[in-house]
Amino acid sequence: MNTWTYIARRTLYVIPVILGVCFLIFVLFNVFSPDPAMIMLGKHATAKQMAELRAELGLDKPFFIQYLDIVKASFTFDFGRSWSTKQEIFQMIKQGAIPSLTVTLPGFLLSTLISIAISLLVAFYRGKMIDKAVVFFCVAGMSISSLAYILFGQWFFAYKLGWFEISGYEEGFPYFIPYIILPVIIWVILSIGPDVRFFRTIILDEVYQDYVRTARSKGLGENHIMFKHVLKNAMVSIITYVIIQLPFLILGALLLESFFSIPGLGAMTLNAINSSDFPVIRAMTVLSAVAYIIFSILTDVLYTVVDPRVRLH
Amino acid sequence: MAEKLLEVRDLVVKFKTDRGLVTAVNNVSFDVFRGKTLGIVGESGSGKSVTALSIMRLIPNPPGQIAGGTISFKGKNLLDIPLDNMRSIRGNKIAMIFQEPMTSLNPVFTVGNQIEEVFKLHQSELSKADRKNKAIEMLKLVGIPSPEKRINEYPHQLSGGMRQRVMIAMSLACQPDILIADEPTTALDVTIQAQILELMKKLQDELGMGIIMITHDLGVVAETCDDVAVMYCGNIVETADVKTLFGHPQHPYTKGLIESIPSFDSTTGIKKERLPTIEGMVPSLFDLPKGCNFQDRCKSASDKCRGGNGEPILAEIASGHQVSCFHPMNY
Ligand SMILES: Nc1ncnc2c1ncn2[C@@H]1O[C@H](COP(=O)(O)OP(=O)(O)O)[C@@H](O)[C@H]1O
Ligand SMILES: [Mg+2]
């Protein structure tokens, strides 16, 4: 099938998925959660105050209309205003996206490339000392809380040694660079453990396949076999793993952004959760669902590029 | 006498496993001549593949290790040369095809790419266009229809038989002196099997390489081989030319294998039921019996075979006919 036809068809699937996501959001936020009016005004508010606020927030409308509002917001990306800052949510997302991406994109690219390189190396030396050492450090690194890395990095490298900014952000290139270095390094350190472990397993799986024996019997050297034959086969699995992370890049890094005071979407989401700012949470949930679908379509298309056995249908 | 290409002497291959050291190939010796086919036959686990991989120096190490012997290719001991030199022999002077046509080709590269790779490696003077033309020529040689089109296809677009043809094309690309075929037809249907064997025979006549035909099927040996070595538990227990081996088998194991060849119903061409004439199972390499390895399955085993006389030794009982048995069946 033609790739564009496939993309068009898969994109149409976005509609029912968003309807479903909206329904879930609606049920979770409007039926099962405590009355937002009560949360916002506190226990001592009068019934009249509460009723006024509910009317203002549109919570007095029938359930079905409220659901339609959410659906409409999702398709128009007009999510209304934040309950706490009163800003337009669409504007907030637009403003937050860039700072988020300045941290997450370099972090993601660096960690993925470094991890693939390390994995190829340890797969090459499988079973030897270096392989065992890398696996040990991956597991050890993964068992330390991410907070520990953040706090230690800020205290030691930023505060004690003064190498980096402890926190904060400045808009615009290249002003943001000093602020993102430490968070990016921490992102890379946090990702390398799980990434290397996953990629190493994938690559080792390939190393024992029959086609590798065939390649050796042709007289090919180990480097050539690793970088041509093994890597391209491993790419099939690696691509899925990597692309599925992409939506989360847009959504920002929750902890890193709040600890480093980076005004991105991650910090915004965390604030919204803390202040029960439902419209913002709702907007971010819808956004992540849409991003997820888009990137899974992208994964499928990329599959056909890497793996000739895969056909779109 | 044809030129002697390969001389294997006293080859010993061991594997370190969780349950201890096993000797997968034990003191194996044989010769391969230009234009001739040597069959290595034996049940699964008898050390045939390990023998073949040793010649290519492709025994995975660890856990495997070539613990002794020599493998002389045109007078040069392959076990002594640097790995780089070995690489320029692999796929060039000595080539190998495998039992698993479905998985032996790389699924993400085209057939053409994988054949051209051999030329790129061993005949680097060829231009890109030449490589492509030669790859097409090879596909034509192994009887693949419309090779110009097939060259751009991926392995999954081909049947098992076609894939094995591609493997043969790839292995013969540089006109090697020796082709090692490790059960090349075991995974294929009977009719395809016959076609592939016929093709190999035809190509041997044209290119003159020596072939090591590894199989567990004496039927295949009868059709394709000039000489045969029968392996059991890592040892060669009998070796002779095909006619002698089938006419006067000396080892009870060889006799059992011959009797269990499925006969064809010549009118229908259907394989008849195989008669299981060798009872019992191959003993585990981890606990081989004292004396002869075959004693538990042998009808004529005596105390001598079970006792402290040690293992029987491969000895010549007629010119070119060797057997390791305390009670050979005699002429
Ligand atoms: N990779 C390996 N690791 C451990 N033992 C092995 C390995 N490959 C082969 N062996 C041992 O060598 C024996 C012979 O194997 P093989 O040569 O593959 O038999 P076959 O005659 O069926 O080709 C096996 O039974 C096993 O004990
Ligand atoms: Mg085998």
Side-chain angles (χ1 to χ4, degrees):
Chain A
M1 184 194 282
N2 183 300
T3 307
W4 293 110
T5 332
Y6 176 80
I7 294 177
R9 216 190 57 213
R10 278 291 302 269
T11 311
L12 286 181
Y13 284 146
V14 173
I15 296 169
V17 172
I18 291 193
L19 288 180
V21 169
C22 290
F23 182 73
L24 275 179
I25 293 173
F26 174 74
V27 170
L28 288 173
F29 286 48
N30 296 47
V31 182
F32 289 119
S33 61
D35 184 349
M38 181 131 90
I39 295 171
M40 289 170 82
L41 294 172
K43 281 189 190 120
H44 306 295
T46 63
K48 186 165 169 278
Q49 279 173 312
M50 301 249 283
E52 273 170 16
L53 186 61
R54 283 213 191 86
E56 192 190 321
L57 300 176
L59 295 175
D60 56 346
K61 293 188 207 161
F63 276 172
F64 184 67
I65 301 291
Q66 287 188 46
Y67 173 64
L68 280 187
D69 282 347
I70 298 176
V71 172
K72 204 176 109 208
S74 304
F75 282 102
T76 56
F77 281 99
D78 175 11
F79 294 100
R81 285 172 187 278
S82 153
W83 285 352
S84 46
T85 68
K86 308 290 180 227
Q87 256 184 299
E88 258 196 60
I89 294 175
F90 185 70
Q91 290 303 325
M92 289 169 73
I93 291 178
K94 242 170 68 180
Q95 279 163 17
I98 301 290
S100 277
L101 285 173
T102 57
V103 175
T104 57
L105 206 57
F108 164 80
L109 289 176
L110 278 176
S111 66
T112 304
L113 289 178
I114 295 174
S115 299
I116 291 180
I118 294 180
S119 311
L120 280 171
L121 187 82
V122 296
F124 193 90
Y125 291 108
R126 57 193 168 279
K128 302 244 167 68
M129 220 22 233
I130 178 169
D131 177 27
K132 286 176 184 155
V134 166
V135 173
F136 173 80
F137 279 112
C138 286
V139 176
M142 282 161 73
S143 39
I144 300 171
S145 153
S146 47
L147 281 180
Y149 291 101
I150 296 175
L151 294 175
F152 179 80
Q154 282 184 320
W155 173 74
F156 189 73
F157 293 108
Y159 174 71
K160 277 276 185 194
L161 299 178
W163 289 358
F164 312 108
E165 299 288 339
I166 296 181
S167 76
Y169 194 81
E170 259 180 78
E171 303 261 335
F173 183 84
Y175 311 111
F176 63 77
I177 290 177
Y179 297 95
I180 63 151
I181 296 178
L182 190 54
V184 165
I185 292 175
I186 292 175
W187 173 297
V188 170
I189 291 174
L190 285 174
S191 316
I192 277 184
D195 283 7
V196 166
R197 265 169 50 104
F198 182 78
F199 296 158
R200 178 182 170 276
T201 314
I202 298 290
I203 294 172
L204 279 187
D205 231 33
E206 295 297 332
V207 166
Y208 294 106
Q209 297 294 321
D210 288 338
Y211 69 79
V212 173
R213 189 184 53 190
T214 306
R216 289 204 183 101
S217 78
K218 287 155 96 170
L220 293 173
E222 290 297 313
N223 285 332
H224 188 108
I225 293 175
M226 267 294 179
F227 280 97
K228 182 180 169 189
H229 291 259
V230 168
L231 189 58
K232 189 158 182 208
N233 277 279
M235 267 335 222
V236 177
S237 309
I238 290 178
I239 280 180
T240 345
Y241 176 87
V242 166
I243 296 198
I244 288 306
Q245 297 178 38
L246 291 180
F248 299 101
L249 302 186
I250 297 171
L251 303 177
L254 294 181
L255 280 182
L256 279 176
E257 287 178 15
S258 358
F259 273 87
F260 285 94
S261 311
I262 291 163
L265 295 181
M268 183 187 95
T269 309
L270 211 59
N271 284 338
I273 292 170
N274 283 335
S275 56
S276 300
D277 196 344
F278 286 176
V280 174
I281 303 175
R282 207 156 57 196
M284 292 305 287
T285 314
V286 171
L287 195 66
S288 52
V290 173
Y292 190 86
I293 298 168
I294 290 174
F295 284 104
S296 66
I297 297 173
L298 191 65
T299 316
D300 289 347
V301 173
L302 271 180
Y303 259 154
T304 62
V305 177
V306 181
D307 190 341
R309 287 163 296 185
V310 176
R311 287 275 158 274
L312 299 174
H313 49 75
Chain B
M1 195 76 191
E3 179 196 359
K4 187 194 277 187
L5 296 169
L6 193 75
E7 184 181 277
V8 176
R9 287 294 173 270
D10 306 316
L11 180 68
V12 180
V13 186
K14 302 193 180 201
F15 283 91
K16 252 193 209 116
T17 71
D18 298 339
R19 294 174 56 199
L21 200 64
V22 290
T23 306
V25 169
N26 195 7
N27 273 316
V28 160
S29 304
F30 55 81
D31 298 325
V32 180
F33 295 94
R34 183 172 293 287
K36 301 278 179 200
T37 301
L38 168 75
I40 298 181
V41 66
E43 282 164 288
S44 160
S46 54
K48 306 181 299 289
S49 296
V50 171
T51 305
L53 291 171
S54 302
I55 299 169
M56 298 293 279
R57 276 182 55 189
L58 284 175
I59 296 289
N61 177 9
Q65 203 204 343
I66 299 181
T70 56
I71 298 174
S72 306
F73 171 64
K74 294 180 157 179
K76 207 166 30 179
N77 185 0
L78 296 181
L79 300 181
D80 282 345
I81 64 175
L83 191 59
D84 275 347
N85 297 13
M86 190 63 219
R87 284 205 189 106
S88 60
I89 290 179
R90 286 181 193 153
N92 188 18
K93 305 284 177 209
I94 307 180
M96 183 160 177
I97 56 177
F98 300 92
Q99 181 174 347
E100 305 83 4
M102 305 312 274
T103 52
S104 288
L105 291 166
N106 192 328
V108 299
F109 291 104
T110 61
V111 164
N113 182 315
Q114 296 185 60
I115 298 176
E116 285 165 45
E117 202 174 28
V118 184
F119 292 124
K120 217 172 182 170
L121 194 64
H122 299 299
Q123 299 180 4
S124 47
E125 70 280 1
L126 292 179
S127 71
K128 209 172 161 188
D130 287 346
R131 287 201 297 264
K132 189 175 170 195
N133 288 335
K134 289 196 82 165
I136 292 173
E137 220 172 89
M138 285 316 295
L139 287 184
K140 204 180 284 167
L141 187 69
V142 298
I144 290 183
S146 45
E148 302 82 6
K149 249 184 15 223
R150 291 289 176 172
I151 204 156
N152 296 319
E153 291 190 352
Y154 289 91
H156 74 273
Q157 292 167 286
L158 306 174
S159 68
M162 282 297 161
R163 285 189 221 187
Q164 201 61 303
R165 282 173 195 264
V166 171
M167 279 298 291
I168 295 174
M170 205 160 79
S171 63
L172 298 182
C174 296
Q175 306 217 355
D177 293 307
I178 298 175
L179 173 65
I180 304 172
D182 189 356
E183 312 219 21
T185 57
T186 303
L188 304 174
D189 300 345
V190 192
T191 43
I192 310 289
Q193 181 169 336
Q195 288 171 12
I196 296 283
L197 293 177
E198 208 166 293
L199 172 70
M200 290 177 64
K201 199 89 205 131
K202 183 188 128 222
L203 292 173
Q204 186 180 32
D205 289 343
E206 281 171 37
L207 307 174
M209 69 274 185
I211 296 182
I212 300 178
M213 175 66 75
I214 292 175
T215 175
H216 61 263
D217 185 351
L218 268 182
V220 171
V221 171
E223 276 169 50
T224 59
C225 297
D226 300 292
D227 298 292
V228 198
V230 180
M231 281 188 83
Y232 192 73
C233 294
N235 296 281
I236 292 185
V237 293
E238 181 163 10
T239 173
D241 64 86
V242 170
K243 234 174 126 187
T244 311
L245 192 98
F246 280 91
H248 307 283
Q250 292 301 300
H251 200 288
Y253 180 60
T254 311
K255 194 159 179 278
L257 285 180
I258 292 172
E259 281 165 6
S260 62
I261 296 177
S263 55
F264 277 90
D265 189 320
S266 52
T267 49
T268 58
I270 292 170
K271 230 181 194 177
K272 282 186 183 160
E273 194 80 356
R274 177 188 285 254
L275 309 161
T277 47
I278 309 175
E279 276 161 23
M281 292 206 316
V282 186
S284 156
L285 289 180
F286 291 100
D287 83 274
L288 290 174
K290 238 165 88 183
C292 177
N293 289 331
F294 191 57
Q295 56 181 278
D296 292 339
R297 305 170 74 185
C298 185
K299 289 188 189 100
S300 41
S302 69
D303 284 352
K304 201 173 168 190
C305 308
R306 298 190 192 93
N309 294 305
E311 294 167 36
I313 293 164
L314 194 65
E316 189 140 39
I317 58 159
S319 167
H321 191 174
Q322 295 177 306
V323 63
S324 75
C325 179
F326 288 121
H327 307 294
M329 314 222 143
N330 290 328
Y331 279 88

